[in-house]
Amino acid sequence: MRSKWSGLMIAALITGLLAGCGNGATSSSGASGGSTASTGGKVIKIATQSPLSGGSSIQGEAIKLGAQMSMEDHKEEFTKLGYSLELVPYDDQGDPKKGVANAELIGADQQVLGVIGHLNSGVSIPSSVVYEKYNIPMISPASTATELTDRKLKVVNRVVARDDFQGPAAAEYAIKTAGAKNIFIIQDKTAYGQGLAEAFRDAAQAQGATISGYEGITVGEKDFNGVLNIAATQKPDFIFFGGLYAEAGLLIKQARDKGITAPIMGGDALDSSGLVDIAGADVKGALYSSVAGDISKLPDGQEWTARYKEAFGKNPEGYSVYAYDSMSVMLEAIKTAMGSGTEAPARDAVRDAVRATKDFEGVATKVSFDDIGDNAYAKVFIYKFADATYPGSLEAEIAQPAK
Amino acid sequence: MFSSILQTLPQVLIDGLALGAIYAVVALGYTMVYGILELINFAHGEIFMTGAFVGTAVLFGFQGAGWLTGMPAWLSYLLIILIAMLVTGALGVGIERVAYRPLRKAPKLILLISAFGVSFVLQDVIRFIAELKTGNYIISTPQLFDQRYQLPLSSISSWFTDASVKANTLFIFVIAILLMIGLDIFVNRTKWGGAMRAVAQDRETASLMSINVNKVIVLTFFIGSALGGSTGVLFAQQYGTIDPYIGFILGLKAFTAAVLGGIGNIRGAMFGGIVLGVLEMFASSNLGILTGGNFGAEYKDVFAFMILIIVLIFKPEGIFGKAIKEKV
């Protein structure tokens, strides 16, 4: 009996492994299949890199589909110029190693002129080193880490706001719109939480608010009554939390239990339905900032959403429209680099043309890259939970101060 | 400085006692098993965590069956605790049978490693089940009591600010005190309790006095684990969120509480738990004030563990422990 069971288990394991390999094989053949089909006419390829499998696959796929939609919109234009456009989707699995390996493949394919991606900053940063080597420009629709562009690589660009702008934007909202004067700050001691909280604190102080406390908590803890007791004695009219949604949910709930009624605000890590699950009804009135705007509020948003739904049979995610704009910028730059010539442009010409993008009107955002590849028009959006349902409703959008 | 500490003191005491009651009941499980087997059952934290998940699962079951609306909240609370106690008690017995009994003659280190193995297995099994059922391993528990009471302390004396207490916190006190008194009576007044004390004192001699040592050990594991599981339910109700990793750090602190009170000593564990809970809450509320903002609330654990180290240096057997004299 026992041996039968173990035999079954082994068989199941082997089939699982084979299925896993099978998936890998199909996805790589999908990528290479594209190159064989393209021999003949003049082809311009653009790659996307995002997690198409694993935990962030929903957002990763949204990036791929958004880019694909923009490419299809521009196909005709390029046919007139004598080129066929081709999308080469790669799955970076949210894994830096996989992203770098894919980047080498992308670099080796001479027909690829640009990359749209990645989702995760942790993957964007090492992969961009490889793109730099091959002079392939990348535009990220989602990565926010400051380090990404601070390394001043020539190929790296992004259309969304940087992490160190989110804190000041939140501070501006807190002071100008919410009228906060006495602010209590809690952070979770991680690179993300502390960075955000410090950026918020410095900006809030510069605008004249009093910071009555700056306390830390530990990720994974469940009892934050101690910190909240300190907060309660300071009687703040605004509480800012730098950290993740699991702790934020508990903080919100325990603060309300203590009778602290001040609004509580956090960063884009609170942009999750998990926050509502944890805080329950107490989430009402909580605020969070995000780098992704609410598409339905945009001038062309409704129409764009309808087209997306028709093309792919699903609702767009927050980053879909940013991937769409990234691809549009990339294609525009390729056209510029081509000039009046009929030859496909060189990679470094495209790279420089992307960086030179000024005042490009996208669906979600206007795009102007500065000298390190950040978008001067990137905005931070403030959302508020009007009810205990995710997502919150858009409260404000804050533009970057002119440099 | 002093006045602001005094102002929050009532609230700190309420929060600290709630946390301390939880530590104390979990510490009982450590101390009982240690008293009898001289084994630190490091899987006890995970038994606590399992209790929290079992309680939540049963609560979801009740909700699905629509029983919650018909039943008074305290009754469903008690039922959930009872079910969680039975399940975790049985789990404890199972762990003893599988992971400890075959190794009883092995060196203590082997048992310790076995305990760690069990705790990792439990974490991942629970995580697997939770993700299978809900797609997320951080689970929100519906709360049975959500009333909040304000204690108007500022009207008594201007030294204090108003404190607030959740109905659930009061329930924790009641349940924890009942469990602790019940255990104390059981160990000191009943025949089985006497057998447990006898086995704790000398296993060999006890077996010669016609005490079934294995049965006593099984009983110890059952009671200790059931207590741990019941606290899991209390914890889930108090904080509303559980994940498969809550057992580790809480288990470590409860173990500390047991050591603080004198490991192997049941009343010591209760005392140690409450002291640790209040100390931790006091530290996290006041460290910033006491150190002029140099150390914030995030250093509360360091503070509590420092107290532990100081106690152990000057009284290594713990506050209530008796110094063991080596037999010659």
Side-chain angles (χ1 to χ4, degrees), chain A residues 187 189 215-218 220-227 229-230 233 235 245-246 250 253-254 256-259 274 277-279 282, chain B residues 8 11-12 15 19 136 138 140 143 148 150 164 166 235 239-243 246 249 253 281 284-285 288 296-301:
Chain A
Q187 43 100 4
K189 297 249 131 188
E215 292 287 341
I217 56 152
T218 315
E221 292 258 307
K222 305 284 176 216
D223 188 319
F224 303 120
N225 283 310
V227 167
N229 281 339
I230 310 178
T233 53
K235 300 192 174 55
Y245 74 84
L250 285 171
K253 197 159 72 174
Q254 290 171 13
R256 300 301 177 239
D257 281 341
K258 281 215 169 331
D277 290 342
I278 293 173
D282 288 330
Chain B
T8 53
Q11 184 70 57
V12 168
D15 294 335
L19 190 64
N136 188 354
I138 301 177
S140 304
Q143 309 244 280
R148 299 159 187 172
Q150 288 287 331
S164 71
K166 281 166 70 179
F235 183 91
Y239 299 113
T241 317
I242 49 175
D243 66 58
I246 51 174
I249 200 81
K253 284 183 188 158
M281 196 55 68
S284 64
S285 300
E298 66 270 24
Y299 290 99
K300 64 185 162 85
D301 291 352

